Amino acid sequence: ETASLAEMRVNYGRFLDAVLPAAEAAGVRLALHPDDPPVPAIGGVARLFTSPEDLAWAMERSNGSPAWGMDLCLGTVSEMVGGPDAVHRAIDLLGPSGRIFYVHLRQVQGTVPRFAECFIGEGSYSPAAVIRQLIAVGFDGFLLDDHVPHMSGDTPYGHRARAHAIGYMQGLLAAIEGEG
C-alpha cells in the first residue's frame, strides 16, 4: 500500500499533536532529521522532509512548540535540489527562531539522485561559510560528525575518517573564533 504526501502530512500532524504536549511537559526536545536521501518517495511511500520548504512547513506545523526542532544534517540538506543553496535556505528559515537544535557536519558531492559521501572540505558547500551563517542566526547548539567515507584499513566504525572529521571541525572552529 502506498501513502501520498497529503496522507503522510496528516499522519505527521497527528504524531505532533500527540507527542509534543508530552515532550513539553517532560522538558524534552525532539529533533527532526530530514529524509535521507531526500527523494519524493521510497517504496511508494511519500517522504515529507525533502526540501528546505518542507522543513519550514514542519516547523510551522509544530505550532511554536519549544519541544520541536531540527537535527540539521548538512549532508542530507546539501543532497536536496539546490545543493549549497538549500543548506543556506534551511539555516535562514530555521535558525533565527532557534529551531536548529544541533548540526550533523557531513558533506557530499552532488545532489539527488547522484551524490557521493566525501570528507568535510571536499563537498558542495563551504563549511566555514555555513558555520559563520549559523553563528549569525544565533545557533547555540552543538556540532557532530556524522557519516564518514570508508577508508581502506580503517575500523568498521571509521576511526581514521572520524579523526579527520573531528580535526577539521576543531580547526575550523578555532580559525573562526580567531576572526572575532
Side-chain angles (χ1 to χ4, degrees):
E1 187 169 320
T2 63
S4 71
L5 180 60
E7 291 168 317
M8 293 299 291
R9 282 189 167 195
V10 167
N11 289 340
Y12 182 71
R14 287 181 185 144
F15 170 78
L16 291 181
D17 292 343
V19 172
L20 288 177
E24 289 175 28
V28 172
R29 297 190 320 166
L30 305 173
L32 172 69
H33 189 291
D35 287 325
D36 189 5
V39 295
I42 291 182
V45 177
R47 308 275 288 207
L48 290 175
F49 312 112
T50 63
S51 72
E53 292 72 27
D54 291 339
L55 304 178
W57 171 84
M59 179 178 69
E60 183 178 315
R61 181 57 184 82
S62 74
N63 296 320
S65 171
W68 186 94
M70 287 296 309
D71 163 3
L72 184 63
C73 178
L74 297 173
T76 301
V77 176
S78 72
E79 293 166 16
M80 294 176 178
V81 173
D85 290 337
V87 170
H88 295 293
R89 279 197 333 269
I91 293 169
D92 284 341
L93 289 167
L94 302 163
S97 60
R99 295 304 176 173
I100 301 172
F101 289 170
Y102 60 98
V103 174
H104 278 163
L105 194 58
R106 175 172 73 97
Q107 285 212 280
V108 298
Q109 297 170 342
T111 60
V112 293
R114 304 190 76 136
F115 61 90
E117 197 154 56
C118 61
F119 289 104
I120 298 173
E122 296 179 339
S124 59
Y125 66 85
S126 163
V130 166
I131 297 300
R132 287 184 190 101
Q133 184 181 8
L134 286 164
I135 292 167
V137 298
F139 172 70
D140 64 354
F142 54 93
L143 302 174
L144 293 169
D145 66 318
D146 194 22
H147 311 188
V148 292
H150 296 286
M151 294 176 56
S152 180
D154 204 351
T155 66
Y157 180 69
H159 284 88
R160 291 178 183 164
R162 287 184 192 282
H164 172 273
I166 292 169
Y168 192 105
M169 291 165 57
Q170 288 174 327
L172 180 62
L173 293 173
I176 290 173
E177 184 177 274
E179 294 173 358

